Amino acid sequence: MSAAGASGTGRLYGVGLGPGDPELVTLKAARLVAAADVVAYHQGVGKRSNARRIADALITPGTLEEVLEYPVTTGTTDHPGGYAGAMADFYADCAARVAAHLDAGRDVVVLAEGDPLFYGSFMYLHDRLSGGYPTEIVPGVPAFAAASAAAATPLVRQTDVLTVLPGTLPEAELARRLADTDGAIIMKLGRRFPAVRSALAQAGRLDGAVYVERASMTEQRWLPVAEVDATTVPYFSLIVVPGDTREGVRRYDAATTGRGAVRNESRIEAEHRGPAELLVVGLGPGPDGWLTPEVSHALAEVDHVVGYAPYVDRVQQREGLRRHASGNTVEVDRARFALDLAVKGERVAVVSGGDAGVFGMASAVFEAAEDPVYDEVRVRVLPGVSAVQAVAARAGAPVGADFAVMSLSDRLKPWSVVERRLRAIAEADLVLAVYNPASRSRREQVGRMREVLLEHRDAATVVVVGRDVGRAEETLTVTTLGALDPETIDMKCLLIVGASSTRVTRGRAWTPRYVEE
């Protein structure tokens, strides 16, 4: 291929060969493989490369072959850097070996099963080499397309969302994502199959999910996931979850499929559940350990969870639970949606971070519930650990005396009101907890707040800045009002501005319960 380039740098090709059937190799891929100076491919220890097998009839006699054999495939290794370290060293070595051919003016075709950039090993060579050598990528038929065709199972239709998931995800996370999508493909099964099947059941997606093994190969087989013997599942297998099967009904079938019967059964069941009720619950600031037993029990009993997407994501998926996530600025619409479900007799929980009654969904639900159409719905609020409690506990006891809580957001109230309340709190010498201090579009409020407070407070006033408290990225800073840098504050922060009596002892901020005249 590289006769013209023998005196210069060779060209790198990442060539997708499709899922296994040699007849699914594209014309372009076949041409490049046949003309290659060097054919490189990955394979496991003691195994034959499936990509090499697909290309058997295409490789020209005399072509150089570079076998890139994985050092480990199970995740167990004595490498000092663990599995990740072993693989990083391996890919660096692979890149060096391929680069030697390229430097010698030889064109290198790296064979990839399926598509080169879809969970393929070629990606790691591309990362290391494409910046220094001319590179071309030839797409291939991905395995999931072949699997869907083998099972004659439509994946998604119209506006359905398709999600591709690795079976190596934690079971709870996999279940959540399966519940939140229409169609799905689950790759990388093998020993993870029991956990994947469990996640499908939790998400209510086991019915209709199809297991496909060695798609497009002569050994190909497919069957319902529920019927698969977990001990027989190879790496070259995947699961197709059709979008039609979401929520337990085939949404695009004719009316005669019995969908009405499903709804009637739900209505009959609802009639036996008692008075309509809507729960509004606080999930706490983040850690599972801060979820109250009362809220945990309630979430285990409801059939629907409604809320802002990041909060809905925190609710563990289980069989029979339907999730309804939305954006951050549609609180009343979200509340009406939940109330509509409750009116129909559905068991529903609206979720908020922290405490639902502190700048959360509780007030939005009560606002929507003023509509007489919801008169029969009882709204019950279950408390959660609030963000101010979490930050205060981490800092010591800064809200140990009288304190006020404010939001700096002017989305629902004019800034003039915010400023007037800041002055009143400062004049009253109250500790102040500040929610929603800044965002990407609101960058001036913290600075203006600081200016207003400094009109009444000493620059040495204690300030606590808590960011992502309760999460892995948590930071806590104790500073002063004078030293507070507004540019360091964002929506992940909660501020506590002390009173004149707030002090710091051995790094811990606290406010005395008594007031000296």
Side-chain angles (χ1 to χ4, degrees):
M1 181 187 295
S2 61
S7 60
T9 298
R11 190 174 186 86
L12 175 66
Y13 295 89
V15 176
L17 300 176
D21 183 352
E23 292 189 342
L24 294 179
V25 176
T26 66
L27 295 174
K28 184 172 185 177
R31 174 175 58 80
L32 291 173
V33 172
D37 299 315
V38 180
V39 168
Y41 48 88
H42 295 80
Q43 68 182 27
V45 178
K47 298 180 180 179
R48 186 173 185 234
S49 165
N50 198 49
R52 176 63 176 82
R53 180 194 62 78
I54 298 170
D56 276 351
L58 302 174
I59 298 175
T60 304
T63 301
L64 295 176
E65 296 192 29
E66 192 70 59
V67 183
L68 309 173
E69 190 170 84
Y70 297 109
V72 59
T73 55
T74 63
T76 303
T77 176
D78 57 3
H79 190 284
Y83 177 80
M87 294 306 291
D89 285 353
F90 167 66
Y91 286 122
D93 178 65
C94 291
R97 290 162 62 186
V98 171
H101 290 294
L102 297 171
D103 289 338
R106 293 188 283 268
D107 288 340
V108 180
V109 168
V110 180
L111 305 179
E113 186 181 6
D115 183 86
L117 298 183
F118 186 73
Y119 290 124
S121 293
F122 172 75
M123 293 185 292
Y124 304 102
L125 295 179
H126 181 267
D127 292 343
R128 290 165 170 81
L129 299 173
S130 61
Y133 301 94
T135 303
E136 183 176 347
I137 299 167
V138 180
V141 176
F144 73 81
S148 182
T153 303
L155 261 178
V156 283
R157 309 174 191 248
Q158 299 174 14
T159 58
D160 282 351
V161 173
L162 173 66
T163 303
V164 179
L165 300 164
T168 50
L169 282 175
E171 185 177 325
E173 175 71 2
L174 186 58
R176 178 184 71 78
R177 290 177 179 269
L178 285 167
D180 289 346
T181 192
D182 298 305
I185 295 293
I186 310 175
M187 315 275 295
K188 302 177 185 268
L189 300 180
R191 293 175 301 168
R192 289 286 301 167
F193 182 81
V196 172
R197 180 161 55 191
S198 174
L200 283 162
Q202 293 169 42
R205 306 303 298 274
L206 186 57
D207 247 358
V210 179
Y211 167 86
V212 183
E213 181 178 303
R214 296 183 173 89
S216 85
M217 304 180 199
T218 54
E219 316 96 297
Q220 163 186 297
R221 70 176 184 133
W222 67 272
L223 64 160
V225 171
E227 300 176 13
V228 175
D229 178 358
T231 63
T232 68
V233 176
Y235 181 80
F236 290 113
S237 60
L238 53 78
I239 291 171
V240 177
V241 185
D244 288 2
T245 62
R246 190 177 184 189
E247 300 173 359
V249 296
R250 301 194 66 83
R251 293 174 295 151
Y252 299 101
D253 283 355
T256 55
T257 57
R259 181 173 180 175
V262 173
R263 290 183 172 176
N264 288 336
E265 289 171 9
S266 298
R267 189 178 300 113
I268 292 168
E269 183 182 351
E271 290 173 358
H272 296 281
R273 290 180 180 170
E277 181 179 65
L278 177 62
L279 300 179
V280 188
V281 305
L283 301 175
D288 291 342
W290 290 352
L291 186 71
T292 69
E294 180 185 37
V295 169
S296 183
H297 177 75
L299 293 174
E301 296 293 321
V302 299
D303 300 315
H304 301 264
V305 172
V306 179
Y308 177 40
Y311 302 144
V312 171
D313 287 350
R314 287 171 51 192
V315 178
Q316 185 170 346
Q317 183 59 44
R318 56 175 169 76
E319 190 169 1
L321 180 66
R322 293 175 59 186
R323 309 151 69 83
H324 309 276
S326 53
N328 195 30
T329 59
V330 290
E331 290 93 341
V332 176
D333 289 341
R334 185 187 303 145
R336 291 193 186 102
F337 175 80
L339 287 162
D340 287 339
L341 288 172
V343 164
K344 298 173 184 175
E346 300 288 346
R347 296 177 295 192
V348 189
V350 175
V351 295
S352 277
D355 182 271
V358 182
F359 303 116
M361 278 298 297
S363 59
V365 169
F366 281 109
E367 179 182 345
E370 286 188 322
D371 190 323
V373 73
Y374 303 123
D375 283 349
E376 65 182 88
V377 180
R378 175 194 177 200
V379 177
R380 187 155 59 99
V381 181
L382 308 184
V385 176
S386 67
V388 62
Q389 289 174 290
V391 173
R394 287 287 199 258
V399 295
D402 297 341
F403 70 98
V405 178
M406 276 192 65
S407 168
L408 278 198
S409 173
D410 54 1
R411 185 172 66 85
L412 299 175
K413 59 183 181 289
W415 179 256
S416 59
V417 171
V418 175
E419 197 164 307
R420 185 166 68 247
R421 291 175 179 176
L422 284 171
R423 284 197 166 85
I425 291 167
E427 290 172 0
D429 197 18
L430 294 172
V431 174
L432 170 63
V434 181
Y435 281 69
N436 307 317
S439 68
R440 282 176 293 185
S441 60
R442 293 187 298 105
R443 301 306 306 164
E444 299 179 1
Q445 278 86 336
V446 176
R448 293 167 69 182
M449 175 200 75
R450 180 173 171 273
E451 292 171 4
V452 170
L453 294 179
L454 282 172
E455 293 174 10
H456 306 273
R457 299 279 177 89
D458 191 278
T461 300
V462 175
V463 176
V464 175
V465 180
R467 174 183 279 103
D468 285 321
V469 168
R471 299 182 175 90
E473 316 84 59
E474 172 183 317
T475 61
L476 188 83
T477 303
V478 179
T479 183
T480 64
L481 192 57
L484 177 65
D485 181 1
E487 292 303 313
T488 65
I489 307 302
D490 55 32
M491 277 293 283
K492 294 183 177 183
C493 296
L494 183 138
L495 310 183
I496 298 178
V497 181
S500 60
S501 59
T502 303
R503 62 194 71 171
V504 177
T505 302
R506 292 186 292 279
R508 309 284 280 172
W510 62 286
T511 303
R513 290 176 295 168
Y514 54 84
V515 176
E516 296 178 350
E517 292 291 344

